[in-house]
Amino acid sequence: RIRYDDAIWCTEGAPQAWLAQSGLELDASGFLRVDEHLRCVGREDVFAAGDVASMDGHQRPKAGVFAVKMGMPLSANLGAVLKGAPLQRYIPQESFLGLVGLGDGRCVASRGSLALEADWLWTLKDWIDRKWMYDYTTGLPDMD
């Protein structure tokens, strides 16, 4: 037995089984291979973004920060296809600050092999999340 105060169960993203039957190009882990325009490799008419996508030449962990940042370029490229305009190139950032709220006003931050837990990190996480959501929603296309 090992004594502990809290346990955090961390898992890794896994591809959905149906991807193997999709006929689309998959990486070695079973995720959809996409190019720098978020098109599925070998297809001009199929796009993918988020955890289901694995970008050739830019492997990143399955983390929300990478998934959500694909949203705007995906939207831009879908619109570009409909308008016959050039596609936008997207290269994901190489590193990220992980902030995990513990549900009690505390937060754990991690970047690379460094980790820190503190109450004040929750305030930082909340500010970053709210700023990102504000910036993200103001950048969405007009749906009227």
Side-chain angles (χ1 to χ4, degrees), residues 22 34 46 52 59 68 75 87 98 112 120 122 125 139 142:
S22 70
V34 298
V46 179
V52 74
Q59 298 300 314
V68 299
S75 176
L87 298 180
W120 64 267
W122 174 253
K125 176 181 175 33
D142 186 10

Side-chain angles (χ1 to χ4, degrees), residues 39-123:
R39 291 178 299 199
C40 288
V41 171
R43 296 289 300 264
E44 297 284 318
D45 60 340
V46 179
F47 289 77
D51 286 349
V52 74
S54 178
M55 187 175 291
D56 283 357
H58 304 285
Q59 298 300 314
R60 301 293 186 266
K62 299 300 179 190
V65 66
F66 298 114
V68 299
K69 290 201 173 215
M70 290 178 169
M72 289 299 187
L74 175 64
S75 176
N77 286 341
L78 291 173
V81 167
L82 294 173
K83 296 173 188 172
L87 298 180
Q88 182 180 104
R89 187 170 175 243
Y90 171 73
I91 304 295
Q93 64 196 59
E94 292 189 21
S95 62
F96 67 100
L97 173 65
L99 292 166
V100 179
L102 301 179
D104 62 358
R106 294 179 303 140
C107 187
V108 173
S110 65
R111 185 170 176 110
S113 62
L114 301 174
L116 175 67
E117 179 269 324
D119 295 348
W120 64 267
L121 287 168
W122 174 253
T123 303

